[in-house]
Amino acid sequence: MTRPPATRALLASALSVTALLATAGCSVQDEPRPRWFSASASASASGASPAVEQPAGSGAALTEAQARAALVTEADLGEPWGPTRGARTWRDGLLKASTEDRECQRLLDALYTEEPFGAPKGPQATSALDDGDTDAQLRYRVAAHPPADVDRTLDWMRSLPGRCGQFTAATTRGGIQGVEVRDLPLPPVGDARQALRVTLAGETEEGELTYLTMDLAAVRAGEETITLTNAGLDEVYAEVTQQAVELGARRLSEIRKQGRAQI
């Protein structure tokens, strides 16, 4: 898949994920890299910004306007990303599925609803974007959740590659899918974080093979939580997930510094 030669706004404004992951002592294994990634990451490394400052929990949640201002949007990702055109058919066709293990079922439910922490307890804002080249869909949410609840959910997510590394799931239409769950490294942003890469392999009623990839990433930053999903039947770039989380955490930190100043 050939990408436009133009440098993306996201990659220009974010720190080099390659450098951050090296600092954290981890790397993404066996993931295809889009052509724009290596050149842009090198340029970013040559003028690296200071380390991401962690938002401090002030005990006061963001206003809804501040949550909206903290979102990652199509202006950050650049072409070919744009506002979503609506939910893809694979959401109901592949993510509405059941399995015997309760924790693995909880994961499937979280992937379908895109809400691993449940309904937000306070102000929240969401952006939903489509990749015009690959038809991937990205959903980014900033919301207030009790920090202790968030940390428990992040611990649960960390357990899933061991608990649900490989399992089978039946869709509501009777299809059987093989599911694989792996850790996805994130830059060291926020107060706590975890990401997973989930792949679901199966076939349609007509016998056509399907291969859905879905990243689920979450970061707790002070009193707020960032939740991101990035999914599709074609290429789903881990670098987009990682750098969107990094840029979003930096933006949330800046908004947090403003306190409750009117936006």
Side-chain angles (χ1 to χ4, degrees), residues 141-215:
R141 168 174 279 186
V142 176
H145 293 281
D149 292 349
V150 172
D151 287 345
R152 281 193 291 270
T153 299
L154 293 176
D155 286 341
W156 167 73
M157 289 175 61
R158 292 186 192 99
S159 74
L160 291 177
R163 177 70 181 266
C164 301
Q166 292 184 331
F167 65 96
T168 58
T171 69
T172 56
R173 300 174 183 176
I176 301 299
Q177 296 188 93
V179 185
E180 183 178 47
V181 183
R182 292 186 290 158
D183 277 311
L184 177 64
L186 289 179
V189 295
D191 301 314
R193 71 209 66 84
Q194 179 60 37
L196 301 170
R197 169 155 285 208
V198 182
T199 55
L200 301 92
E203 61 180 37
T204 66
E205 296 175 353
E206 293 74 26
E208 297 179 356
L209 295 178
T210 61
Y211 190 80
L212 175 67
T213 301
M214 188 167 191
D215 292 346

Side-chain angles (χ1 to χ4, degrees), residues 8-10 13 72-79 81-83 129 247 251:
R8 294 187 173 208
L10 170 64
S13 58
V72 169
T73 70
E74 66 271 19
D76 299 305
L77 273 64
E79 293 183 356
W81 290 93
L129 309 171
L247 174 59
R251 180 166 295 162

Side-chain angles (χ1 to χ4, degrees), residues 99-131:
T99 191
E100 293 182 356
D101 187 280
R102 185 174 64 179
E103 298 306 317
C104 302
Q105 182 64 56
R106 180 182 171 189
L107 170 62
L108 292 174
D109 294 342
L111 295 177
Y112 179 72
T113 62
E114 298 178 296
E115 292 183 350
F117 305 104
K121 307 301 184 193
Q124 63 89 22
T126 302
S127 57
L129 309 171
D130 289 348
D131 183 326

Side-chain angles (χ1 to χ4, degrees), residues 21-54:
L21 294 179
T23 301
C26 53
S27 61
V28 178
Q29 299 287 338
D30 304 322
E31 296 296 345
R33 290 190 172 188
R35 292 178 60 188
W36 46 259
F37 176 76
S38 57
S40 299
S42 298
S44 176
S46 65
S49 301
V52 176
E53 183 173 342
Q54 310 305 324

